Amino acid sequence: MCGIVGYIGHQDTIEILLKGLEKLEYRGYDSAGIAVRNQDGIHIFKEKGRIADLRGIVDQSVEAKTGIGHTRWATHGVPSKENAHPHQSASGRFTLVHNGVIENYEQLKREYLLDVALVSDTDTEIIVQLIDLFSKEGMETEEAFRKTLGMLKGSYALALLDSEAAETIFVAKNKSPLLVGLGDDFNVVASDAMAMLQVTDEYVELMDKEMVIVTKDSVAIKKLDGTAVTRDSYKAELDASDIEKGTYPHYMLKEIDEQPLVTRKIVQAYQNESGELAIDDKIAKAMDEADRLYIVACGTSYHAGLVGKQYIENMAKIPVEVHVASEFVYNMPLLSEKPLFIFISQSGETADSRAVLVKVKEMGYKALTITNAPGSTLSREADYTMLLHAGPEIAVASTKAYTAQISVLAILAGVTAKARGIELDFDLVKELGIAANAMEVLCDAKEEMEQIASEYLATTRNCFFIGRSVDFYVGLEGALKLKEISYIQAEGFAGGELKHGTIALIEDGTPVIALATQESVNLSIRGNVKEVAARGANPCVISMKGLESESDRFVLPEVHKLLTPLVSVIPFQLISYYAALHRECDVDKPRNLAKSVTVE
Ligand code: M6R
């Protein structure tokens, strides 16, 4: 979603801002802009479209020491130059970028700004106009900023320039992520450390309802009541090469290929000195004490949660419910007596999941976050964290985070089982190793997957994924992957549900991708394949070695029956990737989507 950068120092401000915005492109956006301040005032450049379009209109000859930049993912008002950030106040004095949603902006407009001619449809413009209004009433900028912040309901990460304040960026945060980066004779602001890794790896986290006055050699953090806050900085443990594509044409392909390595890294990270899988004792205790687990997540992470339910119930024998965060928050089920909440989130910043976390913490419950982002909001605000160790995932379509989530959930389930005195009848470390090897084999099967994509998906308008048991869950993920990057309407169904309605959609040639990795349901899923084939569908069966039939399109290497999602998802990821390529879609940055969904 929207991304913010800011720079104040002596280097080439415009280039630093543009490069920073390029690093934030992965979050998803539809327009972008920068504003820089120099002795002549504030210069704004903004454009609908990509950063490359913005580069085309920026006047590189403008020299400036201070600037802010923004990528916008439209919420209020269509993607357009007018609605793109930065927004400027009517007097031209203040210029602002914003990430988040201001819920009471209509009310603020009615109460304070009826006389101001607004030039955009955004909620953001209200903020900058209010600051202007209060400053015209005689307040210093800091005071006007603080007063405005006190009136805002909703989420915000803000960076503000004042044409009359010498080399200063005013910053504030509530619910939306924002960091201040520290340098030698310069400082930066960024939604994500990745954006400014080019200039610094030292960052200070901001907490909700804090504001910061940033100059090139000072960073003053304050609460909204003006109380000064001191906080240590930390080193962002990111390797600049982790966020480069290298020789790959797309991040998505690189991240698919990284999956076997990530699985091995996770096993290592959770092994103790004697090679046994281990987790923080406090997490094992909280799991053991819970009478029911509630997994809460969105999108791909929700799909991983469904697999996690199978693991925990099978291995650790604790009942689990899995919920979509955006539903759970408004429609909470009756909770058990001793619930434990598990949040799964690659980014650790997803607003829907965070809203649930805030609510259950208010209710006094404990929460565990499983995330790829140490220090993220969901990690900080939960009682416990388990990390994915997947390295930065840049492509909007989540791939390596999904398999990492599944590996971590398997480890959580296995270790909890042991803590509860339940002996597993298999060696989880060994089986995860076998799965990692099988994942490698699948990553090498790109030609076959490209062939399947061109045979089944090159021209189709829809596609169904069917499976039973855990294969149904992987089918849901396959369908999400295909639709989000190729725009083919794709849905996942439980094989047995077809005859209750969905089969009406089957026409001549409709591709139906069926997964058959579970012996217990092998005959029944094959029955479902026959049902759709009899109605004209073009079935593509992907099965597991040992369960295959002659007509199957692809056979997966054999892995433990609980770990099949780690391997069966890879063909779906690759098929989706090649289908998107065939259709000339922007694989890494699909339309309308954002990587980090920081608004509810
Ligand atoms: O960062 P999170 O795991 O919380 O994100 C949740 C979803 O937004 C995310 O998985 C989304 O569905 C992906 N684009 C799917 O590829």
Side-chain angles (χ1 to χ4, degrees), residues 306-319:
L306 294 170
V307 177
K309 170 184 163 74
Q310 294 253 338
Y311 290 175
I312 296 168
E313 292 189 340
N314 267 285
M315 297 191 224
K317 313 289 180 208
I318 306 172

Side-chain angles (χ1 to χ4, degrees), residues 135-156:
S135 103
K136 278 184 193 142
E137 287 174 4
M139 288 183 194
E140 293 295 325
T141 302
E142 185 178 330
E143 201 186 345
F145 192 37
R146 183 176 293 122
K147 174 161 178 167
T148 304
L149 296 175
M151 296 163 75
L152 303 179
K153 290 206 175 96
S155 53
Y156 55 77

Side-chain angles (χ1 to χ4, degrees), residues 297-303 344-353 370-371 378 388 393 395-399 401 405 477 480-481 484-485 590 593-597:
C298 310
T300 289
S301 299
Y302 168 74
H303 295 155
I344 307 179
S345 174
Q346 187 283 130
S347 62
E349 298 294 347
T350 301
D352 289 322
S353 298
I370 297 178
T371 182
L378 283 167
L388 296 180
E393 188 180 67
V396 166
S398 185
T399 53
Q405 287 161 346
E477 174 58 11
L480 176 58
K481 223 68 318 162
E484 73 178 323
I485 60 167
L593 290 179
K595 181 69 181 164
S596 186
V597 186

Side-chain angles (χ1 to χ4, degrees), residues 189-210:
V189 178
S191 297
D192 185 325
M194 259 190 252
M196 285 295 174
L197 213 53
Q198 43 161 333
V199 287
T200 182
D201 64 355
E202 191 178 356
Y203 289 86
V204 180
E205 272 175 9
L206 302 182
M207 301 299 154
D208 286 349
K209 302 215 164 150
E210 285 182 348

Side-chain angles (χ1 to χ4, degrees), residues 18-19 137 146 154 156 166 198 263 265 273 276 291 301 338 373 396 405 421 426 455 464 474 478 483 489 525 556:
L18 289 173
K19 281 215 176 97
E137 287 174 4
R146 183 176 293 122
Y156 55 77
Q198 43 161 333
T263 308
K265 264 169 73 179
E273 281 164 6
E276 282 167 14
D291 62 355
S301 299
K338 288 188 253 160
V396 166
Q405 287 161 346
F426 64 99
E455 229 173 274
F464 301 119
V474 181
K483 74 181 121 188
Q489 195 208 340
I525 190 66
L556 304 163

Side-chain angles (χ1 to χ4, degrees), residues 74-85:
T75 57
H76 296 64
V78 296
S80 68
K81 187 169 179 164
E82 292 68 38
N83 290 333
H85 301 210

